[in-house]
Amino acid sequence: MAAEALSSLDRSTLRERALHALRTAILAGQYQPGEHLGEVELASRLGISRGTVREALRHLQQEGLLVPAARGMLQVHRLSPTEVHELYEVRAALESLAVAGVIASAGRQAAVEELRRGLIRLDQAGDFTAQVEADLGFHLLLCELSGNSILVRTWRHLEGPIRVTVMSAGNEQRRLPMSAARHKPIVDAIERGDEAGALDVLRGHMALASSQLASPDDRTSAS
């Protein structure tokens, strides 16, 4: 899929298509954290101008997927262990707010039913990439069900760095926090209206993921 994403583009909506192709390649792991992206090579590979590539790269920098590197180049963002912990602290805060919003809403039971469908998707996810998609889909759904549009937009701003961090890890140990069994207690507590219980499980879930993903030794070996 990643190779197809970087096949030659036609001339329609070039910047948008280049942006989509590059984002897909990064999130699929074709470009690893710390790897430089060169305008000349990318322009040649995509069959478009360097200016169009530059615009797409700047957009990816705004999304947090790329950061400045030496000699004016950009590289795929490699979060430090401290940044990973901070990222998951912010996720925990946002999703705690989402949990509170869902529990307080009149549509709590309908939300629980949707979240249980998310658990099924997690349980049925096959390979690692599918599991990442199902996991992030569950957490995005939780935010959406809160009814707080600013919360959803803020969470989506973090999605790129989250994906890069998780995909660059990619070993079997990191599958555990993404299992349906780890998420089910959150849904059960929401169904009971037990905000304290749901938040306790959610924060423990984020702490576990943060601890595993921020491990320098594991991340180095995984990349």
Side-chain angles (χ1 to χ4, degrees), residues 96-107:
S96 293
L97 181 60
V99 164
V102 172
I103 290 176
S105 72

Side-chain angles (χ1 to χ4, degrees), residues 197-219:
L199 295 183
D200 185 60
V201 176
L202 174 68
R203 289 165 182 161
H205 178 77
M206 292 298 170
L208 173 63
S210 172
S211 176
Q212 291 182 331
L213 292 168
S215 171
D217 291 337
D218 287 347
R219 294 179 71 208

Side-chain angles (χ1 to χ4, degrees), residues 19-81:
L19 176 60
H20 174 74
L22 290 168
R23 184 190 293 115
T24 299
I26 292 169
L27 297 180
Q30 184 173 347
Y31 294 106
Q32 291 294 307
E35 187 171 349
H36 292 79
L37 276 70
E39 289 180 11
V40 175
E41 185 269 336
L42 290 173
S44 174
R45 191 168 185 180
L46 294 168
I48 57 178
S49 70
R50 288 181 62 183
T52 301
V53 169
R54 189 178 304 118
E55 290 178 11
L57 293 178
R58 285 174 179 167
H59 193 101
L60 292 172
Q61 183 179 2
Q62 292 173 354
E63 292 182 9
L65 290 178
L66 301 178
V67 293
R71 298 186 297 279
M73 297 184 69
L74 293 172
Q75 66 182 24
V76 180
H77 194 180
R78 181 193 297 277
L79 274 70
S80 69

Side-chain angles (χ1 to χ4, degrees), residues 72-176:
M73 297 184 69
L74 293 172
Q75 66 182 24
V76 180
H77 194 180
R78 181 193 297 277
L79 274 70
S80 69
T82 297
E83 288 176 316
V84 173
H85 283 303
E86 292 172 347
L87 176 63
Y88 276 78
E89 283 179 352
V90 174
R91 276 195 69 183
L94 287 174
E95 294 183 29
S96 293
L97 181 60
V99 164
V102 172
I103 290 176
S105 72
R108 187 177 77 204
Q109 188 54 47
V112 167
E113 292 173 3
E114 287 198 52
L115 289 169
R116 292 207 183 280
R117 287 192 284 271
L119 292 178
I120 293 172
R121 288 189 287 272
L122 268 170
D123 194 49
Q124 294 178 342
D127 60 18
F128 183 73
T129 300
Q131 199 165 20
V132 171
E133 292 299 323
D135 176 73
L136 292 178
F138 176 91
H139 289 277
L140 174 58
L141 176 62
L142 178 62
C143 293
E144 291 172 338
L145 291 170
S146 74
N148 187 323
S149 62
I150 301 299
L151 190 160
V152 173
R153 287 203 294 273
T154 304
W155 191 95
R156 279 197 172 279
H157 184 71
L158 303 177
E159 187 174 3
I162 293 169
R163 285 179 180 273
V164 169
T165 300
V166 174
M167 292 300 293
S168 65
N171 61 28
E172 289 299 317
Q173 185 184 14
R174 271 65 180 268
R175 286 179 178 265
L176 179 61

